[in-house]
């Protein structure tokens, strides 16, 4: 009766009647409290809100109509529209995937949500409007994607101003999340004064045996605090727009170009997303939190969606005057020269994931997404003959480190889903580099370093021969032709390593000497056993993420007052 009374008042009372606002506010409070129990069934929700299953259609249809009418009415008071927006968010977060959430899909609130984003006075609520759009578009997404109108609406948005507002809201949310990570552990680039201060402090008797700085960061991120903060939910709508909206890449690229023309501007959304991704990927598995891993999964899929868009990756390969602040709280990666193309920051994020998340409980699907991001990036660079100035050796070490881990721990990892596919696609990636190194590496020294790293890692590669044979039915890497299959890739890599290993073994006994031998051989004859290899266009691997929606709902609820 209380819900019915509040709904009737919210629907019929004039805008100048305080009871209208109070009715909406009371429904928000009751909805939050009643739906806080996650074990409610759909019929129980109908009992609570409508008084019974037989009355549910009438109540929830009026409920949806009222929300859509008030939310989309430009003449309604701003505070009332904001409260209605929060009511809709609280309802969808509390209802989770129960059947009663379908009522808000039937009412099609999309025009009302757009009016909030486009409105001059309501534009400041864009983040919450994006949150509602995310919740609605992910309702039963896995089994009824074609039936969800909001997925279609996201792809149909062509209004550039709306997409600019989306980027603006996401950019500030991402920047705020990064600041919370930095407040936990400051990873600012060291200056002369800070290094001198640290040195003087270390000479104090009480600090002589203190732990190294990295240990403090590790302990800080292992405390039982909710990290990343709830605002991290903003990465979910960005992934949906990147996957579904054909106009979104143009707006994303536009932000990069505007920032290039004015260095004093706030770094645009691509910079903010790359920075946030570096923190999410560094700390994803440090707390053994399924929620943190879920957000890292979204971040990796965003990177993959970026590099699979020709328009975005082409812009990422252009000179970029604004540096990207990357996480250094658990990384020994050297500071990169600045400015540099954004594609370098994408590869940095991949390195951070590859380095800091190798565990027996391997997140195979995330590693696959990371490897595919690297593959697509290197494929595009070699195709366009783009040679970014990048510390490639760090990437080769990370990829070979993954292969070595898989080779050593294969017996313990064999039961993990897609472990075979990860091994195969990693080998195909490494083979792509060996066959096309001269087309995208920036200098002869970079080519020499890659070949030397292969020679140095020959035992790890040789172990993988038995690993591939242990699989019952070896398959080619997903979407790639048999010509570039994993067995052929490994055979080619071993051919290269064996050739240079023989040359090094007979002429040198030191690392410097071995490098000189490798360099001399390559400069004289090119990379051994390359030939006129053809690299097939990679398939599109981008897809949505639905595996941690319960955390998205809890975070959305936590963001509401």
């Amino acid at each position: 009766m209380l819900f019915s009374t509040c709904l009737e008042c919210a629907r019929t009372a004039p805008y100048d009647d305080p009871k209208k606002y109070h009715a909406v506010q009371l429904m928000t409070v009751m909805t939050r409290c009643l739906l806080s129990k996650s074990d409610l069934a759909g019929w129980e929700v109908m009992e609570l809100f409508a008084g019974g299953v037989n009355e549910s259609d009438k109540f929830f249809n009026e409920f949806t109509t009222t929300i859509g009418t008030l939310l989309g009415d430009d003449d309604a008071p701003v505070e009332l529209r904001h409260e209605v927006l929060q009511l809709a968010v609280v309802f969808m977060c509390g209802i989770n995937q129960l059947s009663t959430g379908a009522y808000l899909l039937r009412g099609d609130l999309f025009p009302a949500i757009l009016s909030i984003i486009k409105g001059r006075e309501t534009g400041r609520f864009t983040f919450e409007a994006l949150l509602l759009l995310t919740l609605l578009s992910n309702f039963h997404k896995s089994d009824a994607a074609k039936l969800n109108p909001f997925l279609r609406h996201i792809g149909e948005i062509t209004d550039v101003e709306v997409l600019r507002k989306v980027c603006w809201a996401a950019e500030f949310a991402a920047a705020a999340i990064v600041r919370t990570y930095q407040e936990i552990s400051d990873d600012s680039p060291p200056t002369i004064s800070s290094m001198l201060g640290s040195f003087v402090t270390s000479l104090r008797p009480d600090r002589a045996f203190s732990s190294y700085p990295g240990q403090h960061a590790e302990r800080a991120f292992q405390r039982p605090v909710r990290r990343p903060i709830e605002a991290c939910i903003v990465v979910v709508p960005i992934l949906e727009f990147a996957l579904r909206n054909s106009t979104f890449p143009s707006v994303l690229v536009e932000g990069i170009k505007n920032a290039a023309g004015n260095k004093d501007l706030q770094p645009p959304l691509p910079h903010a997303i790359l920075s946030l991704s570096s923190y999410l990927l560094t700390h994803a598995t440090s707390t053994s939190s399924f929620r943190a891993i879920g957000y890292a999964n979204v971040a990796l899929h965003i990177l993959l969606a970026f590099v699979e868009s020709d328009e975005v990756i082409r812009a990422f390969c252009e000179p970029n005057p604004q540096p990207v602040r990357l996480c250094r709280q658990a990384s020994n990666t050297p500071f990169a020269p600045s400015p540099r193309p954004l594609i370098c920051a994408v590869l940095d994020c991949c390195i951070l994931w590859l380095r800091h998340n190798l565990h027996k409980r391997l997140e195979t699907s995330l590693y696959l997404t990371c490897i595919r991001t690297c593959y697509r990036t290197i494929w595009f660079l070699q195709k366009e003959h783009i040679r970014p100035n990048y510390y490639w050796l760090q990437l080769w070490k990370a990829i070979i480190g993954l292969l070595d881990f898989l080779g050593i721990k294969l017996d313990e990892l064999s039961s993990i889903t897609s472990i075979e596919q990860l091994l195969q696609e990693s080998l195909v990636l490494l083979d792509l580099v060996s066959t096309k190194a001269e087309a995208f590496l920036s200098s002869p020294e970079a080519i020499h370093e890659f070949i030397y790293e292969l020679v140095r890692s020959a035992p790890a590669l040789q172990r993988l021969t038995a690993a591939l044979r242990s699989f019952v039915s070896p398959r080619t890497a997903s979407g790639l032709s048999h010509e570039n299959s994993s067995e052929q890739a490994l055979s080619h890599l071993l051919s290269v390593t064996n050739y240079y290993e023989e040359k090094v073994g007979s002429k040198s006994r030191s690392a410097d000497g071995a490098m000189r031998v490798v360099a001399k051989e390559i400069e004289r004859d090119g990379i051994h056993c390359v030939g006129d290899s053809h690299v097939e266009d990679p398939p599109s691997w981008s897809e949505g993420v639905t595996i941690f929606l319960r955390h998205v709902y809890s975070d959305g609820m936590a963001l509401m007052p």
Side-chain angles (χ1 to χ4, degrees):
M1 290 178 63
L2 189 54
F3 266 117
S4 299
T5 303
C6 288
L7 181 59
E8 181 66 18
C9 187
R11 188 171 62 87
T12 60
Y15 285 137
D16 57 357
D17 188 347
K19 292 181 181 179
K20 193 179 190 76
Y21 177 83
H22 294 158
V24 176
Q25 192 175 43
L26 182 55
M27 279 196 292
T28 304
V29 173
M30 290 193 298
T31 300
R32 179 172 191 144
C33 294
L34 292 172
L35 297 183
S36 61
K37 289 189 175 183
S38 59
D39 57 346
L40 291 176
W43 67 269
E44 291 176 311
V45 173
M46 294 177 186
E47 290 279 356
L48 289 170
F49 281 79
V53 176
N54 294 332
E55 302 295 326
S56 62
D57 278 352
K58 179 178 182 298
F59 175 85
F60 284 111
N61 283 332
E62 289 184 358
F63 180 72
T64 302
T65 302
T66 302
I67 288 177
T69 301
L70 297 178
L71 199 62
D73 189 353
D74 293 333
D75 296 327
V78 174
E79 294 78 9
L80 177 62
R81 297 177 72 188
H82 186 208
E83 188 64 39
V84 171
L85 175 60
Q86 291 184 337
L87 170 60
V89 171
V90 168
F91 179 80
M92 287 305 299
C93 288
I95 216 69
N96 205 314
Q97 297 284 299
L98 296 179
S99 58
T100 42
Y103 285 100
L104 264 67
L105 269 71
R106 295 176 196 169
D108 195 3
L109 302 178
F110 187 73
I113 294 173
L114 279 190
S115 70
I116 291 290
I117 296 174
K118 295 168 67 174
R120 179 176 300 179
E121 295 182 342
T122 58
R124 63 182 185 271
F125 309 133
T126 297
F127 177 86
E128 290 161 299
L130 271 182
L131 176 54
L132 178 58
L133 184 59
T134 299
L135 298 171
L136 291 168
S137 64
N138 279 278
F139 183 79
H140 284 212
K141 180 180 179 181
S142 59
D143 54 356
K146 294 181 180 179
L147 302 178
N148 190 319
F150 289 91
L151 292 173
R152 185 180 70 254
H153 289 319
I154 288 175
E156 292 173 348
I157 297 177
T158 57
D159 191 328
V160 174
E161 289 304 318
V162 170
L163 295 175
R164 285 173 181 165
K165 280 279 191 70
V166 170
C167 291
W168 167 78
E171 170 192 319
F172 276 91
I177 302 163
V178 169
R179 284 195 296 272
T180 62
Y181 275 104
Q182 294 166 353
E183 289 170 0
I184 298 171
S185 177
D186 185 12
D187 60 345
S188 302
T191 62
I192 294 178
S193 58
S194 65
M195 288 190 294
L196 180 60
S198 298
F199 174 71
V200 172
T201 302
S202 67
L203 297 178
R204 288 167 42 191
D206 61 326
R207 297 296 299 275
F209 297 101
S210 62
S211 59
Y212 65 90
Q215 288 179 333
H216 169 72
E218 291 174 5
R219 288 194 299 268
F221 284 99
Q222 288 173 354
R223 294 169 188 163
V225 180
R226 196 169 180 80
R227 300 187 183 96
I229 64 172
E230 290 82 359
C232 205
I233 197 175
V234 76
V235 298
V236 182
I238 292 303
L239 176 60
E240 297 293 349
F241 277 95
L243 291 177
R244 303 179 185 280
N245 190 283
S246 58
T247 309
F248 187 71
S250 301
V251 177
L252 203 68
V253 169
E254 176 188 72
I256 300 173
K257 294 178 179 178
N258 292 340
N262 188 348
K263 297 180 181 180
D264 296 329
L265 288 177
Q266 178 83 7
L269 179 60
H271 294 64
I273 290 294
L274 289 170
S275 181
L276 173 58
S277 297
S278 71
Y279 286 88
L280 291 175
L281 299 175
T282 297
H283 299 294
T285 59
S286 62
T287 58
S288 300
S289 165
F290 186 72
R291 176 176 170 273
I293 293 171
Y295 279 118
N297 193 10
V298 177
L300 283 170
H301 277 85
I302 290 176
L303 298 183
L304 179 58
F306 282 172
V307 299
E308 286 193 343
S309 167
D310 287 345
E311 186 174 6
V312 174
I313 192 173
R314 201 174 297 278
F316 276 24
C317 291
E318 295 175 358
N320 167 52
Q322 284 193 326
V324 177
R325 173 73 177 270
L326 296 175
C327 177
R328 291 184 51 81
Q329 291 167 338
S331 175
N332 295 320
T333 303
F335 283 109
S338 185
R340 61 177 188 154
L342 289 177
I343 198 64
C344 297
V346 172
L347 294 173
D348 283 344
C349 290
C350 292
I351 290 175
L352 289 172
W353 172 260
L354 292 170
R355 278 186 171 182
H356 298 297
N357 300 279
L358 283 176
H359 306 288
K360 290 182 181 179
R361 189 179 177 181
L362 195 67
E363 298 295 334
T364 315
S365 62
L366 278 71
Y367 270 92
L368 270 172
T369 305
C370 182
I371 290 296
R372 290 168 177 176
T373 302
C374 295
Y375 187 97
R376 168 68 188 185
T377 299
I378 293 174
W379 174 85
F380 182 83
L381 294 177
Q382 63 85 25
K383 177 188 174 186
E384 301 294 328
H385 292 275
I386 299 173
R387 306 173 187 273
N389 183 20
Y390 186 65
Y391 41 84
W392 292 103
L393 185 60
Q394 303 293 333
L395 181 59
W396 313 145
K397 288 181 177 180
I399 296 171
I400 293 174
L402 169 63
L403 288 170
D404 191 26
F405 180 83
L406 294 177
I408 294 174
K409 303 288 185 179
L410 187 62
D411 291 340
E412 302 173 51
L413 302 172
S414 57
S415 61
I416 299 178
T417 305
S418 301
I419 194 70
E420 171 189 357
Q421 191 174 355
L422 174 59
L423 176 57
Q424 292 174 337
E425 294 196 24
S426 301
L427 285 170
V428 172
L429 168 60
L430 210 56
D431 188 49
L432 170 67
V433 178
S434 69
T435 56
K436 296 295 181 180
E438 296 178 348
F440 72 93
L441 291 182
S442 55
S443 65
E445 291 76 13
I447 299 175
H448 304 160
E449 287 178 346
F450 170 70
I451 297 299
Y452 176 73
E453 189 63 25
L454 285 183
V455 174
R456 194 177 69 84
S457 306
L461 294 174
Q462 290 165 358
R463 273 194 298 270
L464 297 178
T465 303
L468 283 180
R469 291 174 181 169
S470 67
F471 296 126
V472 176
S473 56
R475 301 184 300 271
T476 56
S478 176
L480 300 175
S481 68
H482 181 69
E483 183 177 53
N484 290 322
S485 67
S486 56
E487 288 186 342
Q488 291 180 336
L490 180 56
S491 176
H492 176 254
L493 290 170
L494 289 176
S495 175
V496 173
T497 55
N498 292 338
Y499 175 82
Y500 289 104
E501 209 172 17
E502 290 179 4
K503 300 293 183 181
V504 169
S506 61
K507 299 179 181 179
S508 175
R509 295 185 178 180
S510 67
D512 291 339
M515 179 67 80
R516 285 193 295 269
V517 172
V518 170
K520 184 177 179 180
E521 291 290 330
I522 294 175
E523 289 172 1
R524 185 182 63 197
D525 301 323
I527 299 178
H528 174 70
C529 196
V530 172
D532 297 326
S533 58
H534 169 72
V535 177
E536 187 177 338
D537 293 2
S540 176
W541 285 303
S542 296
E543 59 183 4
V545 178
T546 59
I547 60 171
F548 77 124
L549 282 178
R550 64 187 180 91
H551 297 290
V552 172
Y553 290 124
S554 65
D555 286 351
M557 187 73 83
L559 289 169
M560 294 297 100

